[in-house]
Amino acid sequence: MSEIASFYQLKEEVLSRYKESFPYFTGNWKSFSSQDITNLIEDIYSKTKSTVSEKWIYTHLKPEHNEKLPRKNMLDILCQYTNGKNWDEYIYYHLDTVNIEEKSTENEIEIVDAKNKKKRFIQIVSVIVVFFVGIIAYFFLRNEQPIKTKLEFNNGYTNDKVYTDEVKVYKVDDSTQSNLISTQPKIEVTEPIRVIVKSPLYKTKNIALMPGDTLKKIELYPNDYAMILNAFMKSDIKDWKTRKEQLGKILSDDVEVLVMLKNNLGIEYLNKEEFTQKIVVPTASLKKMKIIELKSDVEQKVSFLRIATE
């Protein structure tokens, strides 16, 4: 059996491990949603202290067919998530199992016994090695490894969790320039810094982060007009006249709307009237739209929108 076939088997084991943490999910990789991906990223981190990106999951786990293996360090993380040690160990025992099944019953018993003895020996040696490596790492590397700060975002009014895929964190330097430093729930803070938290659905917030903080809870307050627009796109409201009147109040007369089309087909430009006509009537395609950038004018009306389509 090839290594790529073993990777397919590992993907199924990752999916089974995910269902243990989220038993209400009954689908497969094809039906894996963006929220499931967020849940998986957090679950992998909680169990392995390692991170995988949303893009990596889309590239390697969701496809039904994989032309080549991912990097070995990522395969090691998946093996650890499924209660294994690393990819080398997984391949070793996985391929051994396949070979054993092809042999006679008499030889199979002998090989299994030998493999079990070898496995127990490797496990004992591994525990000893890990123990001593842990001691060395604790005493000699603890001052060299920066402590990561976990950012936890909550709605300031409802205290509901705001998922990390809805926010971006920018570092602000002395010249007031800002650079994107994270879209993940954990970042390294080696010195006191100021950061700006931005989201298309929440008001921008400026906070300070200090080294040594393991958890920073941040309250974000909704951008009311952005929330109204998001509700319009996701709801089944039938009263299009009322919806049109409300849009007229929250959209600037000069609003610019950019709709990013799927598969890199380009961008559709809409003015206020065109955008209003597009969202006053609920449709299946409308519900797949997502606000990724929003700007307001001096009257707090929406003056610019960037929308992605799923």
Side-chain angles (χ1 to χ4, degrees), residues 132-143 145:
F132 283 104
V133 169
I135 293 177
I136 294 173
Y138 177 78
F139 285 105
F140 293 96
L141 301 179
R142 61 179 178 176
N143 294 327
Q145 298 296 327

Side-chain angles (χ1 to χ4, degrees), residues 49-103:
K49 303 305 178 186
S50 300
T51 58
V52 297
S53 68
E54 181 177 340
K55 180 180 179 182
W56 191 92
I57 293 176
Y58 270 112
T59 302
H60 298 287
L61 295 185
K62 276 186 68 65
E64 294 184 22
H65 303 287
N66 299 87
E67 296 182 358
K68 60 181 181 179
L69 285 175
R71 297 195 315 271
K72 181 177 178 297
N73 66 318
M74 302 305 295
L75 293 171
D76 289 343
I77 292 173
L78 296 185
C79 291
Q80 294 166 16
Y81 178 64
T82 57
N83 297 321
K85 182 181 178 183
N86 54 41
W87 176 245
D88 290 338
E89 181 189 73
Y90 184 88
I91 284 293
Y92 180 82
Y93 291 118
H94 188 63
L95 294 182
D96 271 0
T97 301
V98 174
N99 293 330
I100 290 170
E101 291 175 351
E102 296 175 350
K103 295 184 178 182

Side-chain angles (χ1 to χ4, degrees), residues 95-147:
L95 294 182
D96 271 0
T97 301
V98 174
N99 293 330
I100 290 170
E101 291 175 351
E102 296 175 350
K103 295 184 178 182
S104 65
T105 303
E106 182 179 353
N107 290 336
E108 180 180 351
I109 295 175
E110 295 178 357
I111 294 175
V112 169
D113 288 341
K115 189 190 75 171
N116 288 338
K117 292 179 180 179
K118 184 175 183 179
K119 183 177 181 180
R120 285 194 295 270
F121 175 76
I122 293 175
Q123 289 174 338
I124 294 173
V125 173
S126 298
V127 170
I128 296 174
V129 170
V130 170
F131 177 76
F132 283 104
V133 169
I135 293 177
I136 294 173
Y138 177 78
F139 285 105
F140 293 96
L141 301 179
R142 61 179 178 176
N143 294 327
E144 299 178 7
Q145 298 296 327
I147 298 176

Side-chain angles (χ1 to χ4, degrees), residues 178-236:
S178 58
N179 299 306
L180 178 65
I181 59 173
S182 180
T183 57
Q184 298 298 318
K186 286 203 170 189
I187 60 175
E188 292 183 0
V189 181
T190 57
E191 60 181 359
I193 59 172
R194 285 191 306 117
V195 299
I196 294 177
V197 180
K198 293 185 177 181
S199 167
L201 299 181
Y202 293 86
K203 296 178 181 178
T204 298
K205 188 159 189 176
N206 191 320
I207 61 172
L209 296 179
M210 302 296 293
D213 291 341
T214 57
L215 176 64
K216 183 71 173 181
K217 294 187 177 181
I218 303 170
E219 290 187 341
L220 300 178
Y221 290 88
N223 181 317
D224 294 334
Y225 286 171
M227 288 292 186
I228 292 173
L229 281 175
N230 190 59
F232 279 174
M233 292 189 290
K234 304 299 181 183
S235 66
D236 293 318

